[in-house]
Protein backbone atom coordinates (compact mmCIF):
# COMPACT_ATOMS: atom_id res chain seq x y z
CA UNK A 1 0.00 0.00 0.00
CA UNK A 2 2.93 2.34 0.70
CA UNK A 3 4.09 1.84 -2.90
CA UNK A 4 0.67 2.94 -4.20
CA UNK A 5 0.65 6.01 -1.95
CA UNK A 6 4.13 6.95 -3.22
CA UNK A 7 2.90 6.69 -6.82
CA UNK A 8 -0.15 8.81 -5.98
CA UNK A 9 2.04 11.52 -4.48
CA UNK A 10 4.21 11.55 -7.59
CA UNK A 11 1.12 11.88 -9.80
CA UNK A 12 -0.11 14.81 -7.69
CA UNK A 13 3.16 16.61 -8.47
CA UNK A 14 2.63 16.31 -12.25
CA UNK A 15 1.16 19.04 -14.44
CA UNK A 16 -2.18 18.48 -16.18
CA UNK A 17 -0.38 17.94 -19.49
CA UNK A 18 1.91 15.35 -17.93
CA UNK A 19 -1.06 13.52 -16.36
CA UNK A 20 -2.78 13.52 -19.74
CA UNK A 21 0.30 11.98 -21.35
CA UNK A 22 0.50 9.40 -18.54
CA UNK A 23 -3.11 8.41 -19.12
CA UNK A 24 -2.49 7.97 -22.85
CA UNK A 25 0.56 5.82 -22.18
CA UNK A 26 -1.36 3.65 -19.69
CA UNK A 27 -4.21 3.23 -22.16
CA UNK A 28 -1.81 2.16 -24.91
CA UNK A 29 0.24 -0.11 -22.67
CA UNK A 30 -2.68 -2.01 -21.17
CA UNK A 31 -5.20 -1.72 -24.03
CA UNK A 32 -7.79 0.05 -21.87
CA UNK A 33 -9.66 3.33 -21.90
CA UNK A 34 -9.96 5.73 -18.98
CA UNK A 35 -13.36 6.76 -20.37
CA UNK A 36 -14.80 3.26 -19.91
CA UNK A 37 -13.97 2.01 -16.42
CA UNK A 38 -16.64 -0.73 -16.64
CA UNK A 39 -14.77 -2.38 -19.52
CA UNK A 40 -11.49 -2.07 -17.62
CA UNK A 41 -12.93 -3.78 -14.56
CA UNK A 42 -14.40 -6.57 -16.68
CA UNK A 43 -11.33 -7.10 -18.88
CA UNK A 44 -9.79 -10.00 -16.89
CA UNK A 45 -12.94 -12.11 -17.37
CA UNK A 46 -12.96 -13.64 -20.85
CA UNK A 47 -15.85 -12.34 -22.94
CA UNK A 48 -17.21 -10.05 -20.21
CA UNK A 49 -16.05 -6.80 -21.80
CA UNK A 50 -18.29 -7.06 -24.88
CA UNK A 51 -21.66 -7.08 -23.04
CA UNK A 52 -20.48 -4.32 -20.71
CA UNK A 53 -19.42 -2.16 -23.65
CA UNK A 54 -22.72 -2.72 -25.45
CA UNK A 55 -24.68 -1.68 -22.37
CA UNK A 56 -22.54 1.42 -21.95
CA UNK A 57 -23.17 2.50 -25.55
CA UNK A 58 -26.96 2.49 -25.30
CA UNK A 59 -27.97 6.09 -25.89
CA UNK A 60 -30.70 7.97 -24.08
CA UNK A 61 -30.89 10.93 -26.47
CA UNK A 62 -30.36 11.38 -30.19
CA UNK A 63 -29.86 14.01 -32.84
CA UNK A 64 -32.22 13.62 -35.79
CA UNK A 65 -30.23 14.12 -39.00
CA UNK A 66 -31.96 14.78 -42.29
CA UNK A 67 -29.75 13.23 -44.96
CA UNK A 68 -32.00 14.14 -47.88
CA UNK A 69 -35.27 13.42 -49.62
CA UNK A 70 -35.98 10.06 -51.24
CA UNK A 71 -36.02 10.33 -55.03
CA UNK A 72 -39.57 8.99 -55.29
CA UNK A 73 -40.90 11.20 -52.46
CA UNK A 74 -42.53 14.58 -52.49
CA UNK A 75 -40.20 17.29 -51.26
CA UNK A 76 -43.26 19.27 -50.11
CA UNK A 77 -44.31 16.48 -47.73
CA UNK A 78 -40.82 16.40 -46.21
CA UNK A 79 -40.78 20.19 -45.83
CA UNK A 80 -44.14 20.07 -44.04
CA UNK A 81 -42.92 17.33 -41.68
CA UNK A 82 -39.70 19.22 -40.92
CA UNK A 83 -41.68 22.42 -40.37
CA UNK A 84 -43.91 20.72 -37.83
CA UNK A 85 -41.15 18.79 -36.02
CA UNK A 86 -38.60 21.59 -35.82
CA UNK A 87 -41.13 24.37 -35.22
CA UNK A 88 -39.85 26.38 -38.16
CA UNK A 89 -41.53 28.67 -40.64
CA UNK A 90 -42.17 27.40 -44.14
CA UNK A 91 -39.16 29.14 -45.73
CA UNK A 92 -36.80 28.02 -42.92
CA UNK A 93 -38.03 24.41 -43.23
CA UNK A 94 -37.57 24.54 -47.02
CA UNK A 95 -34.04 25.91 -46.57
CA UNK A 96 -33.19 23.17 -44.06
CA UNK A 97 -34.45 20.40 -46.36
CA UNK A 98 -32.56 21.82 -49.34
CA UNK A 99 -29.32 22.12 -47.37
CA UNK A 100 -29.35 18.49 -46.14
CA UNK A 101 -27.54 16.78 -44.53
CA UNK A 102 -28.56 18.84 -41.49
CA UNK A 103 -29.64 18.25 -37.90
CA UNK A 104 -33.37 18.76 -37.48
CA UNK A 105 -33.54 18.36 -33.72
CA UNK A 106 -30.90 17.63 -31.07
CA UNK A 107 -30.95 15.91 -27.67
CA UNK A 108 -34.24 14.12 -28.31
CA UNK A 109 -35.31 11.29 -25.98
CA UNK A 110 -34.87 7.88 -27.59
CA UNK A 111 -38.60 7.11 -27.70
CA UNK A 112 -39.53 10.47 -29.24
CA UNK A 113 -36.62 10.28 -31.69
CA UNK A 114 -37.86 6.94 -33.04
CA UNK A 115 -41.39 8.36 -33.48
CA UNK A 116 -40.08 11.43 -35.31
CA UNK A 117 -37.82 9.26 -37.46
CA UNK A 118 -40.84 7.19 -38.47
CA UNK A 119 -42.89 10.30 -39.26
CA UNK A 120 -40.13 11.77 -41.42
CA UNK A 121 -39.57 8.50 -43.27
CA UNK A 122 -43.30 8.24 -43.99
CA UNK A 123 -43.09 11.74 -45.53
CA UNK A 124 -40.22 10.55 -47.73
CA UNK A 125 -37.19 11.82 -45.86
CA UNK A 126 -33.90 9.97 -45.59
CA UNK A 127 -33.22 10.23 -41.82
CA UNK A 128 -30.56 8.98 -39.42
CA UNK A 129 -30.48 9.04 -35.62
CA UNK A 130 -27.04 9.86 -34.23
Amino acid sequence: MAKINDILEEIKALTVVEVSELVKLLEEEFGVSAAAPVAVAAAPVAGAAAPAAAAAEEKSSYTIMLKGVDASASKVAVIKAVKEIAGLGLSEAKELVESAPKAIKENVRAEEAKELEKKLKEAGADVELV
Side-chain angles (χ1 to χ4, degrees):
M1 189 65 156
K3 193 180 204 181
I4 294 172
N5 287 333
D6 291 343
I7 294 171
L8 180 61
E9 290 305 315
E10 292 216 20
I11 291 173
K12 285 180 181 179
L14 297 175
T15 66
V16 174
V17 173
E18 291 170 327
V19 171
S20 175
E21 290 174 9
L22 175 62
V23 169
K24 287 179 188 174
L25 287 171
L26 290 170
E27 287 176 337
E28 291 172 9
E29 179 68 26
F30 297 105
V32 297
S33 172
V38 173
V40 173
V45 179
E57 290 182 25
E58 194 170 315
K59 293 177 75 174
S60 60
S61 66
Y62 292 90
T63 296
I64 302 170
M65 291 292 297
L66 174 68
K67 293 170 66 178
V69 178
D70 292 340
S72 62
S74 165
K75 189 188 244 183
V76 174
V78 175
I79 292 170
K80 286 181 181 179
V82 169
K83 177 182 179 290
E84 180 184 330
I85 290 169
L88 299 172
L90 188 59
S91 61
E92 291 90 358
K94 181 177 184 262
E95 223 174 274
L96 192 148
V97 170
E98 290 175 346
S99 64
K102 283 275 192 180
I104 295 175
K105 209 168 183 182
E106 297 179 348
N107 297 321
V108 180
R109 287 185 349 265
E111 185 178 295
E112 181 184 1
K114 299 218 185 290
E115 290 174 16
L116 295 176
E117 177 187 33
K118 180 181 175 188
K119 187 174 196 171
L120 286 162
K121 284 185 176 183
E122 286 174 354
D126 184 12
V127 182
E128 178 181 17
L129 299 180
V130 291

